[in-house]
Amino acid sequence: MVFAASPLALAQELLAILHRDGDRLRRIDDYLHGRHSDPYMPPQADDEYRLLARRAVSNWMPLLVSTPAQALYVDGYRPGSGTSATSEPDSETPEWEHWQRSRLDGRQAAVYRGALTYGHAFTMTERGRSGDVITRGLSALKTSALYEDPANDHTPHAALTVTTWPQGDQPGTARLWDAKREYVVTFRSLSDEKSVRLQGGTLHGSSECPVTRFAAWVDLEGRTLGVIEPMICVQDRINQTVFDLLLAQSYGSTKVRTVTGMAPPVQRDPETGEPVLDAQGNPIPVRINHNSRRFLFAEDPDVKFGSLDETPLGGFIDSIEMSIRHLSALAQVPPQTILGQIANLSAEALQAAEVSLSRMISEVRTGFGESWERVFRLAGELAGNASSAEDFRGEVVWRDMESRSLAQSADALGKLRTQLGIPERGLWRRVPGVTQTELEDWEQMREDDDSVGQLAGALNRATPEDAAPIEKAAA
């Protein structure tokens, strides 16, 4: 794709993209937050029907986003070849210092959730007011980017994010970045190209656009896809079935007692004995206080008592469970996570049920990892670190979030050490829940222990007759 050289034309095109995709992204946002389409109901439905329709919304969308997002956590960065490269992640590298300065330990989750929800999210790397280089997340609802090849390019040609929306007579504002400069954009509406104005044009310090896209899945047409949009039809089906269940539960789940051949008593004037009539001229019946402690009887032999059976609810419940299982299969979320039912399942069976989710998470990690590596290169360039800016072999380290007990992990790691001869320090990272800081503490403790042992050995060799006391003192 060939873009116009004018920054104004780029701003107009990027705002037009936000306008074009706005309805689709807002619909996804509505379904994430429980604002779903109403289930089908008759046109003459009363307020009671509409109340049941609102209560029928069973929002499964946050779970579909949270399940893979909670398994995504960057725990370190391993630099590639270069003067500062190390074989193991190090918390003192410039890349990880930038990560901590940007507070991405906590903010990274918002980027993942945005990308999984809408199909893509963005980050922007810049030098802050204090002079430090920081990275912050940008919402897909307010940000758009242009690529020469959207399916394959990792570097956008230009990007724009809205900072304030138009309100009344006040125009909206946005920030625009191209390969060299940053501009301030004002606009009256996303669809009004003639109202777009440009200000500034300051150098942002990078050799390319400082905005990075995090895409969950991208096809060869450059289209991004999240986990919510394909599930909207299934979610609507679940809501419709729950609505039908509530209707049957409210109006037909109890037995109805019937009486034929008997007219109800009517209210009568105590003085004249004449029936009391309503506004339409009909006799007003006497309200019968009937409950399970009272009996109905009639003197007329032609009176017959009967009942209407209740509507069985089992079919509705089975239909809901079937739709939820379909949702689980299509979203690659284990059924026990959605249904909350675990009965007599072994550890192997649970692990097999999570294979599909693990494969999806591995796929998403690959794409997100490439995006974080570009962020580190941008930060290195802005910080003046040439080795970090040109490090295309570095990679982020994802925390192992699989649910395994410490005893199982210890047994497996011990077998790897004794049977395969893998160095024990190479297995430290596979300990469940271990952080980069803890690994470095272990490394320092190991070096301290080695130093004490070497000192004790040297003293023992120098004075072999006092070996035992010296070893005891050194310990």
Side-chain angles (χ1 to χ4, degrees), residues 27 49-50 65 82 119-120 143 163 184 199 230 236 295 375 381 385 391 395 399 422 442 454:
R27 183 169 181 251
Y49 262 65
R50 300 188 185 281
V65 174
H120 59 271
T143 309
T163 53
V184 177
Q199 301 174 9
D236 287 342
F295 293 95
V375 168
E381 182 181 14
N385 189 333
D391 186 7
E395 59 181 10
R399 178 178 295 183
I422 298 176
W442 294 354
Q454 292 175 4

Side-chain angles (χ1 to χ4, degrees), residues 65 68-69 71-72 111-113 115-116 119 214-218 225-227 332 356-372 396 398:
V65 174
L72 299 171
V111 178
Y112 306 145
R113 290 178 180 272
L116 291 168
F214 286 72
W217 294 278
V218 185
L225 184 66
V227 299
Q332 295 182 261
S356 180
L357 176 63
S358 299
R359 290 173 179 172
M360 181 183 69
I361 292 173
S362 298
E363 181 181 3
V364 172
R365 280 180 176 179
T366 302
F368 288 172
E370 291 288 336
S371 298
W372 283 127
V396 296
W398 297 93

Side-chain angles (χ1 to χ4, degrees), residues 75-207:
D75 206 23
Y77 180 76
R78 183 181 294 109
S81 60
T83 55
S84 62
T86 59
S87 59
E88 290 293 333
D90 188 354
S91 63
E92 296 183 359
T93 59
E95 294 85 356
W96 199 244
E97 289 179 3
H98 165 74
W99 178 275
Q100 296 294 336
R101 189 182 301 114
S102 302
R103 294 184 293 169
L104 289 173
D105 274 342
R107 292 180 171 178
Q108 60 177 312
V111 178
Y112 306 145
R113 290 178 180 272
L116 291 168
T117 298
Y118 307 106
H120 59 271
F122 299 91
T123 61
M124 183 268 299
T125 305
E126 64 177 352
R127 190 180 300 279
R129 296 180 179 178
S130 62
D132 296 330
V133 180
I134 59 174
T135 294
R136 64 187 65 187
L138 301 176
S139 170
L141 293 171
K142 301 188 295 184
T143 309
S144 59
L146 287 172
Y147 294 83
E148 294 183 3
D149 184 356
N152 299 298
D153 287 353
H154 206 44
T155 301
H157 180 79
L160 177 143
T161 186
V162 175
T163 53
T164 59
W165 293 104
Q167 292 185 354
D169 295 335
Q170 295 294 325
T173 60
R175 300 174 66 184
L176 169 68
W177 298 271
D178 59 15
K180 294 183 178 180
R181 299 180 182 274
E182 177 185 348
Y183 306 87
V184 177
V185 181
T186 60
F187 61 98
R188 292 290 179 182
S189 70
L190 295 178
S191 59
D192 187 0
E193 294 184 355
K194 296 181 179 179
S195 68
V196 179
R197 299 289 184 271
L198 238 64
Q199 301 174 9
T202 59
L203 295 173
H204 52 63
S206 298
S207 60

Side-chain angles (χ1 to χ4, degrees), residues 171-340:
T173 60
R175 300 174 66 184
L176 169 68
W177 298 271
D178 59 15
K180 294 183 178 180
R181 299 180 182 274
E182 177 185 348
Y183 306 87
V184 177
V185 181
T186 60
F187 61 98
R188 292 290 179 182
S189 70
L190 295 178
S191 59
D192 187 0
E193 294 184 355
K194 296 181 179 179
S195 68
V196 179
R197 299 289 184 271
L198 238 64
Q199 301 174 9
T202 59
L203 295 173
H204 52 63
S206 298
S207 60
E208 56 190 27
C209 181
V211 174
T212 303
R213 179 181 66 178
F214 286 72
W217 294 278
V218 185
D219 63 13
L220 293 179
E221 297 295 329
R223 296 169 297 194
T224 60
L225 184 66
V227 299
I228 287 184
E229 189 174 17
M231 300 295 111
I232 288 179
C233 59
V234 183
Q235 176 68 77
D236 287 342
R237 192 171 72 197
I238 294 174
N239 291 344
Q240 181 67 54
T241 309
V242 173
F243 176 63
D244 295 340
L245 171 64
L246 292 179
L247 288 178
Q249 179 178 298
S250 300
Y251 298 113
S253 61
T254 57
K255 287 182 179 296
V256 178
R257 303 297 182 181
T258 62
V259 181
T260 60
M262 183 177 68
V266 298
Q267 298 182 20
R268 296 182 179 274
D269 189 298
E271 296 181 357
T272 64
E274 296 294 328
V276 178
L277 305 180
D278 58 14
Q280 287 75 30
N282 299 318
I284 301 176
V286 176
R287 185 173 182 180
I288 300 175
N289 184 14
H290 174 66
N291 54 48
S292 58
R293 299 178 59 186
R294 296 177 181 270
F295 293 95
L296 293 177
F297 62 90
E299 297 179 357
D300 191 338
D302 294 332
V303 174
K304 295 182 179 180
F305 295 95
S307 65
L308 300 177
D309 292 337
E310 69 275 11
T311 301
L313 303 180
F316 296 100
I317 297 173
D318 292 341
S319 178
I320 293 173
E321 292 183 354
M322 180 195 68
S323 297
I324 293 175
R325 284 193 291 269
H326 289 176
L327 184 73
S328 170
L330 293 173
Q332 295 182 261
V333 176
Q336 70 268 16
T337 302
I338 293 183
L339 295 174

Side-chain angles (χ1 to χ4, degrees), residues 90 92 425 428 436-452:
D90 188 354
E92 296 183 359
R425 290 165 64 179
W428 287 355
Q436 180 62 34
T437 303
E438 288 176 327
L439 288 174
E440 295 176 3
D441 290 342
W442 294 354
E443 184 71 27
Q444 184 62 43
M445 293 176 187
R446 183 65 174 267
E447 292 179 359
D448 294 342
D449 291 344
D450 291 344
S451 298
V452 172

